[in-house]
Amino acid sequence: MWENFLIAIALMLILEGILPFLSPHTWREAFRKMIEINDNHIRFIGLTSMLIGVMLLLIIS
């Protein structure tokens, strides 16, 4: 159980690190644009991301 959890965290960190490694300028611009988005839109993006993750887990499991 813990091994799978740590593998998932490691994969998440790898995926999160790809864009800043390959294109730091694009990554920086994306964060500048995110600062301009209001809180409700950010919450919607977070909720959508979580729901997609849950659906993928249900499909895979």
Side-chain angles (χ1 to χ4, degrees), residues 28-41:
R28 188 177 296 115
E29 288 300 317
F31 270 93
R32 280 195 189 121
K33 290 178 183 177
M34 283 186 64
I35 291 171
E36 298 171 2
I37 298 173
N38 68 31
D39 288 351
N40 289 332
H41 285 109

Side-chain angles (χ1 to χ4, degrees), residues 5-38:
F5 178 72
L6 292 175
I7 290 171
I9 296 293
L11 288 172
M12 181 199 66
L13 291 171
I14 291 168
L15 290 173
E16 289 287 330
I18 289 174
L19 185 60
F21 177 74
L22 294 177
S23 182
H25 177 73
T26 303
W27 182 78
R28 188 177 296 115
E29 288 300 317
F31 270 93
R32 280 195 189 121
K33 290 178 183 177
M34 283 186 64
I35 291 171
E36 298 171 2
I37 298 173
N38 68 31

